[in-house]
Amino acid sequence: MSETMKKQNIADYFGCNVFNETVMRARLPRNVFNAVMNTKNLGTALDSTVADIVANAMKDWAVEKGATHYTHWFQPMTGITAEKHDSFLSPTDNGKVILEFSGKELVKGEPDASSFPSGGLRATFEARGYTAWDPTSNAFIKDNSLYIPTAFCSYTGEVLDKKTPLLRSMEVINQQSLRILRLFGNNKATRVITTVGAEQEYFLIDKKLFEQRKDLLLAGRTLFGAKPPKGQELEDHYFGNIKKRVSDFMKDLDMELWKLGIFAKTEHNEAAPAQHELAPLFTTANIAADHNQLTMELMKKIALKHDLVCLLHEKPFAGVNGSGKHNNWSLSANDGQNLLDPGDTPQENLQFLLFLCAIIKAVHMYSPLLRLSAASAGNDHRLGANEAPPAIVSMFIGSNLEDVLYALEKGKTYLAPTNEEFVIGVDALPNFPKDATDRNRTSPFAFTGNKFEFRMLGSSDSISCVNTIINTIVAQVLSDFADELEKADDFDSALHKLMAKTISEHKQIIFNGNGYSEEWVIEAERRGLPNLVTTADALPHYLLDDYVKIFENFKVYTRAEIASRTEILLDNYSKVINIEALVMLDMSNKQILPSAIKYTKELCDTIISKKAIGLEGGAEEKLVKRLSNLTDGLSEAIDTLNQKIIDSKNYNVAQELSKFCKTEILPSMQTLRVLADELETIMPESLWPFPTYLELLFMI
Ligand code: ADP
Ligand code: MG
């Protein structure tokens, strides 16, 4: 196939497995199509009479494409997606079957809810749960099933998933943003949506090597492993040439994502060896969340087809960069404006400046919520290490905008710098206008031209939680602003006063320096910015009254729902650490220790043989001493870790257990690891019981 033919085909198969607008337009009666579109674009409730018609059209389309089953696809609080498949088959009176799918089946499903985490919201015997069709995200076909995106809640109405709160928060920020737009005389826009683009980092390693390591198999990350002689210090991987096996995987992945209407756009190598990144084009937050879940799932599946394994863990390897997920977030009105686009003269764009002030205030006031949206046992290994944003939330807005804001605060006129050209200094190459500000890649919450990029998320996180939080906290501030401005007699002067006050009270959150530095930790403390280092420190903040109040106020979560989420996350943190500790013990007892003992015996035998012919033990004696010191140490570290695991059984309150895991179990795991990693450096390759970092990172 020629390149041009391939290119033409992309347009043909892009979205070919999606029940999208084009398909609906062709297959639905006009009034039904309009009703569905109004729901998608304006959030109006869908009339129940249209469900039957949509369901039937969906089924016909899906069956033509080879589907035999349908599934309500949802996002329980496990962080991944869940599905239960039913076939379209219905028996008829004469013993035959027909293919059927009713509006009732489209709109509502009843999976058993008892096997999904509820964080104490429900007793284990309470099993009834409902899934409800989300018409704002398109249905699609995958593996011969029609997938219907749905929300998931319990019989008594508690939310048990990640989609519902996100949808609620999108509604809330829509309403509050519209109030602000009206104040600026905009009566045209009728809907403001949250747009999101989630950049996804991941590692690819060889499947055969993966299978030889219990830690990768069971914990998704290496729990042992000495540094290879070469890591990422030469920085030769970042944006480097992509290896054939990896590029085949990427092509395959792109194709499958495109078929599902997911705009995978950029793929490149990342900083660490074997690390890569995929960036999609941005879309509505809810759809971006669905798409990111599908992307993660397909990455794993397609890697296997290429005898590779895709690692989505935040820190699969110590000593090289971990993987994050960048959540690019903005607000867009249906009159075509991106509300976070400053335009060429931001100093005159008061509407933009007001939204900017609202976001600054929201991030400053509610930073622990943002921090905890990225909290997990896996991400704790990354945040605050020298590769990812610190655990301290701050904002970067660039020096130009900062100057604009400070002029506003002081009531002075802002003098824009003259437009500079970027001069490359080679006549044959064009000069181009320089971007107004440089970037800052160490900032957790950075303004990048016409959107904010939240960089704390871990690679395996769902993006729903963080966007629910950003939407709700910004909506809260917009609502306070609107309350104040709507009652002002003189809008202009009230607006300037409000902005000056906001900047003066909240500018401590703005930091343009190096977020990776030690000085920042000290400076942040001076500014009173929280530094919630681990998940165990961050999560309890979810339940602070001030925070619960805003979620309840906007009906995004009830207190009980937040409590349940906190419980689930803390419980997950402790469980992950417990599993990792057990895997370490297993690998130590069954693999590392026996190998070291075997090597000790070999050395001792050699020493005896040498001595028998009158030679000194020399090198072997030196080595065996070191070896046996390390094995003794290892054996002690095993005992200590073992005891800690036993002790942890005394804690049954989630918060206390998580603290114990953080302060007692994790350090004991680290002690054990250090000894094992040192052992690895003196053991012969042939006796080391599993593949090393060198093989995992460089042999692909
Ligand atoms: P950058 O150079 O800042 O990485 P890109 O244009 O490559 O910028 O975008 C990075 C990510 O941000 C992409 O996923 C992109 O779709 C997303 N993005 C761009 N504009 C917006 C927006 N208005 N809202 C949300 N996400 C956006
Ligand atoms: Mg980015």
Side-chain angles (χ1 to χ4, degrees), residues 195-199 265-266 279-283 328-331 338 439 448 450-453:
T195 54
V196 170
E199 299 165 66
K265 190 159 176 269
T266 324
L281 280 187
F282 68 94
T283 176
N328 295 273
W329 175 93
S330 189
L331 291 170
N338 174 350
R439 296 189 159 234
T448 48
N450 58 7
K451 60 183 188 288
F452 273 99
E453 182 168 353

Side-chain angles (χ1 to χ4, degrees), residues 518-538:
E518 276 302 316
E519 295 84 69
W520 171 229
V521 177
I522 297 159
E523 167 64 12
E525 192 178 345
R526 199 189 57 74
R527 295 187 189 190
L529 301 178
N531 184 5
L532 304 170
V533 181
T534 71
T535 299
D537 307 309

Side-chain angles (χ1 to χ4, degrees), residues 600-611:
T600 311
K601 176 161 187 336
E602 269 179 27
L603 288 170
C604 291
D605 290 350
T606 312
I607 294 167
I608 294 169
S609 310
K610 273 176 97 177
K611 291 209 166 147

Side-chain angles (χ1 to χ4, degrees), residues 2-295:
S2 76
E3 272 307 309
T4 44
M5 264 182 72
K6 264 192 220 159
K7 278 198 189 106
Q8 275 169 1
N9 285 342
I10 295 176
D12 290 342
Y13 62 71
F14 185 85
C16 68
N17 287 341
V18 185
F19 194 71
N20 57 21
E21 192 171 330
T22 318
V23 180
M24 284 191 260
R25 190 188 294 280
R27 289 177 177 255
L28 296 176
R30 181 183 290 256
N31 61 332
V32 174
F33 172 76
N34 288 341
V36 176
M37 282 301 127
N38 277 340
T39 301
K40 277 176 85 84
N41 300 330
L42 299 173
T44 43
L46 201 63
D47 200 276
S48 62
T49 54
V50 308
D52 269 323
I53 302 170
V54 178
N56 199 47
M58 258 186 201
K59 178 216 56 189
D60 286 347
W61 169 81
V63 170
E64 280 167 34
K65 294 207 153 266
T68 49
H69 289 65
Y70 70 90
T71 177
H72 275 203
W73 183 64
F74 56 103
Q75 301 174 22
M77 291 183 290
T78 50
I80 51 173
T81 58
E83 48 198 71
K84 176 185 137 221
H85 298 255
D86 285 299
S87 83
F88 290 123
L89 294 186
S90 247
T92 59
D93 291 343
N94 56 6
K96 296 232 161 90
V97 290
I98 50 165
L99 299 181
E100 254 184 359
F101 185 47
S102 68
K104 225 177 96 201
E105 288 165 310
L106 166 63
V107 170
K108 193 181 107 187
E110 269 192 57
D112 182 344
S114 60
S115 334
F116 295 103
S118 84
L121 268 183
R122 324 200 57 215
T124 30
F125 64 89
E126 294 175 322
R128 215 184 260 275
Y130 297 113
T131 48
W133 177 34
D134 167 19
T136 65
S137 183
N138 289 327
F140 56 91
I141 293 174
K142 197 165 67 74
D143 309 325
N144 297 326
S145 277
L146 170 68
Y147 279 71
I148 300 151
T150 58
F152 178 46
C153 67
S154 74
Y155 178 67
T156 38
E158 291 101 355
V159 174
L160 297 176
D161 73 345
K162 302 202 173 213
K163 183 191 269 283
T164 315
L166 176 61
L167 287 170
R168 289 175 178 170
S169 74
M170 288 169 68
E171 192 48 46
V172 164
I173 198 164
N174 162 54
Q175 284 162 9
Q176 302 308 324
S177 302
L178 284 176
R179 284 176 73 192
I180 301 288
L181 293 189
R182 299 289 179 261
L183 282 164
F184 284 90
N186 180 334
N187 292 314
K188 224 171 88 198
T190 52
R191 184 127 186 117
V192 171
I193 57 159
T194 323
T195 54
V196 170
E199 299 165 66
Q200 177 73 47
E201 291 182 341
Y202 60 97
F203 278 86
L204 285 177
I205 61 166
D206 189 277
K207 184 162 166 273
K208 284 196 205 71
L209 299 175
F210 169 88
E211 284 165 350
Q212 291 167 49
R213 293 203 49 139
K214 296 186 198 175
D215 48 5
L216 284 174
L217 266 168
L218 299 174
R221 73 172 179 116
T222 55
L223 298 164
F224 297 104
K227 267 203 185 102
K230 174 178 186 273
Q232 63 189 59
E233 53 279 82
L234 294 181
E235 305 193 326
D236 49 359
H237 188 71
Y238 192 54
F239 279 46
N241 211 320
I242 299 175
K243 286 178 189 150
K244 168 98 172 61
R245 208 166 152 202
V246 172
S247 77
D248 286 348
F249 157 84
M250 286 179 174
K251 275 185 206 144
D252 212 0
L253 175 65
D254 277 344
M255 174 101 85
E256 293 307 317
L257 291 173
W258 289 336
K259 284 189 202 162
L260 290 175
I262 299 172
F263 292 90
K265 190 159 176 269
T266 324
E267 307 241 22
H268 64 76
N269 285 353
E270 258 301 329
Q275 193 187 29
H276 313 279
E277 180 186 292
L278 180 145
L281 280 187
F282 68 94
T283 176
T284 313
N286 170 38
I287 296 170
D290 286 359
H291 282 181
N292 183 251
Q293 290 289 356
L294 282 170
T295 301

